[in-house]
Amino acid sequence: MKAVRLGAGLLIIIIALWIIIGEQLSGASANAYINARLTTLRTPIAGRVSFEQSTLGARIEPQEIVASVQDDRSDVVRRDDLTLERALQAAEISRLEKQMVDIAAFRTRMEERLISYREARIRQITIQLDHARARLDLLREAGTLDQRDARLAEILDEEGQRTRGEPLTYPLAVDYATQRVEILENALQAAEADSVFLGDGYNDAPYAEQRMNELDQRETEVRTLLQEARARLRARDRRLEQARTTGAQMAGAALTADTDSLLWEIRASTGEIVQRGDPIATLADCQSLIVSLSVTENVYNTLRLGQAAVFRPSGSSRTFDATVSRLAGSGADTIYRDLAVAPGPRHLERFDVTLIVPGLAEDSQLDCAIGRTGRVFFDTRPLDWLRGLSG
């Protein structure tokens, strides 16, 4: 019985030593800490800065305004020039539109005048044709040309069908009268069908119709000029809108966070005059959490990119799966220039390793716990099963 107790005690001692040695000899880091990338907010314009949020470490929501810059001396000369050019172009369009209205009104009057002229001209030709037919009938009824018949002689003289000194015979008189009737019939037919007025001298179109043709040409020219003016106005509107947008941007700018962040550093003071491109504030990006650590040379030489690891925050029994994303080696101080937490001297004496830990973003207490320390394990340890139960 005594031997059994002695054996059991010896077994317990051996197991304890195995656990202690296994825990100590496994690949691990004692100086791991949560880190994050830094982003710098720079002013796009020159002006006076004012901060909406000035508490260091404050949580900044996406698109939240951190600071604003106002330029009270922004140049508006270009915008004013474009405004004047647009007003002048709008006035030109108004003038051309009024010309179009005037042309349309004048053309309407010419159309009415042409209609009146056509109706009057047709009535005139009709009357002349009726008289010509009556005179022709009178000649035919007489059957002869009696030179003593003054009435017949007057008919022919009025028609202008007998030249002075020309002997006039009856057949010639009938021929003249018939010709006059046919000419007037043709003139009437042309006026009624095609509005062509024959016998009006050198032009078959009356003054109103000629003016309408001129107005049509002028209307076409003005319409073309109006289209060009409207196109220029649209171009000036676009340029003016761009100038207003640019002027608004140059007059004031709001600096906002792109992602969930912490206000890590303030680089200017409220009321300070800053120049374009000057840094205003530095934010720690909570969406880019990583774990920075250093290990001994022996452990470092056993690691590879993509290797699995486990991160356990200090003061917590919960563990997080991790992946090796960068092996920077010893003296890797330059890689921390854009990270929130810089390494200490002892860290740089060892070999730098970076881990990606996706589970941190899902933990409400660690989703932006920059600087929180912990340990990282790379090998299987004797008590991992117990840690898994407690996690």
Side-chain angles (χ1 to χ4, degrees):
M1 193 69 180
K2 192 174 185 178
V4 173
R5 290 196 192 96
L6 183 60
L10 185 59
L11 180 61
I12 292 174
I13 292 173
I14 293 173
I15 293 175
L17 290 174
W18 174 71
I19 292 174
I20 294 172
I21 294 172
E23 288 286 319
Q24 295 299 321
L25 293 181
S26 61
S29 170
N31 65 337
Y33 55 91
I34 299 175
N35 216 336
R37 289 196 302 269
L38 295 178
T39 58
T40 300
L41 298 180
R42 297 180 180 272
T43 173
I45 63 172
R48 190 180 303 275
V49 65
S50 61
F51 284 88
E52 303 292 332
Q53 179 59 263
S54 59
T55 303
L56 292 178
R59 194 69 174 260
I60 307 296
E61 300 295 330
Q63 304 307 316
E64 180 179 348
I65 297 177
V66 178
S68 59
V69 180
Q70 191 70 29
D71 184 6
D72 298 330
R73 299 177 300 172
S74 59
D75 187 9
V76 296
V77 174
R78 179 57 177 163
R79 185 189 62 190
D80 292 342
D81 289 344
L82 288 172
T83 302
L84 177 60
E85 291 179 7
R86 187 196 181 282
L88 294 176
Q89 193 62 51
E92 175 67 10
I93 290 176
S94 298
R95 185 183 69 83
L96 293 174
E97 289 177 342
K98 186 176 184 304
Q99 279 193 12
M100 291 290 291
V101 173
D102 293 341
I103 290 174
F106 190 53
R107 194 180 191 284
T108 300
R109 291 197 299 270
M110 289 297 100
E111 288 178 349
E112 295 174 351
R113 182 172 177 176
L114 178 61
I115 292 173
S116 299
Y117 174 83
R118 180 175 180 272
E119 293 175 350
R121 181 61 176 149
I122 289 175
R123 287 196 300 270
Q124 178 185 6
I125 297 174
T126 302
I127 294 172
Q128 291 176 343
L129 179 59
D130 291 342
H131 284 282
R133 285 171 176 169
R135 291 165 181 168
L136 178 59
D137 292 340
L138 181 61
L139 284 173
R140 288 174 176 171
E141 289 177 0
T144 183
L145 181 61
D146 188 354
Q147 297 293 335
R148 294 170 299 178
D149 191 341
R151 184 178 56 174
L152 294 178
E154 290 176 359
I155 291 175
L156 296 176
D157 285 337
E158 288 175 3
E159 297 296 336
Q161 295 171 338
R162 186 176 65 177
T163 60
R164 182 173 300 176
E166 178 184 357
L168 183 63
T169 63
Y170 176 76
L172 184 58
V174 173
D175 182 65
Y176 282 155
T178 302
Q179 180 183 1
R180 181 60 177 169
V181 170
E182 292 176 352
I183 290 174
L184 292 174
E185 287 178 344
N186 183 54
L188 180 60
Q189 182 180 1
E192 291 178 340
D194 303 321
S195 296
V196 175
F197 305 104
L198 304 177
D200 283 340
Y202 66 90
N203 201 318
D204 64 346
Y207 170 80
E209 186 173 353
Q210 297 175 42
R211 290 293 294 153
M212 286 175 59
N213 293 334
E214 295 174 2
L215 291 173
D216 290 341
Q217 295 177 0
R218 180 55 183 164
E219 184 180 15
T220 302
E221 295 173 359
V222 174
R223 183 178 292 108
T224 301
L225 293 175
L226 186 58
Q227 292 174 351
E228 294 176 356
R230 287 171 176 168
R232 287 194 294 269
L233 180 63
R234 289 192 295 269
R236 283 179 169 79
D237 283 339
R238 290 192 295 268
R239 293 172 60 189
L240 180 58
E241 184 62 27
Q242 292 173 356
R244 286 172 176 169
T245 302
T246 302
Q249 292 173 349
M250 297 305 294
L255 307 181
T256 61
D258 293 332
T259 62
D260 190 12
S261 309
L262 296 180
L263 182 58
W264 204 248
E265 183 181 1
I266 295 178
R267 310 283 291 275
S269 302
T270 297
E272 180 180 346
I273 300 298
V274 295
Q275 300 302 317
R276 182 178 180 180
D278 286 352
I280 302 301
T282 300
L283 306 180
D285 185 0
C286 295
Q287 302 299 316
S288 63
L289 294 182
I290 58 175
V291 172
S292 300
L293 62 139
S294 63
V295 296
T296 62
E297 182 177 1
N298 291 335
V299 174
Y300 183 83
N301 289 330
T302 64
L303 302 180
R304 66 184 185 279
L305 294 177
Q307 180 176 335
V310 175
F311 172 68
R312 179 169 61 84
S314 300
S316 174
S317 59
R318 184 176 179 183
T319 59
F320 296 87
D321 293 332
T323 303
V324 177
S325 63
R326 181 172 63 187
L327 299 171
S330 62
D333 57 334
T334 58
I335 66 174
Y336 285 86
R337 287 176 298 188
D338 296 326
L339 295 178
V341 183
R346 291 188 60 187
H347 182 110
L348 296 176
E349 292 174 359
R350 291 156 62 94
F351 290 77
D352 187 85
V353 180
T354 300
L355 302 181
I356 296 177
V357 189
L360 293 177
E362 302 173 1
D363 192 300
S364 59
Q365 296 181 348
L366 300 175
D367 60 344
C368 206
I370 299 173
R372 178 75 177 270
T373 60
R375 296 189 67 190
V376 174
F377 303 94
F378 299 100
D379 299 324
T380 302
R381 296 172 295 156
L383 295 183
D384 278 349
W385 64 275
L386 182 60
R387 294 187 182 88
L389 292 177
S390 61

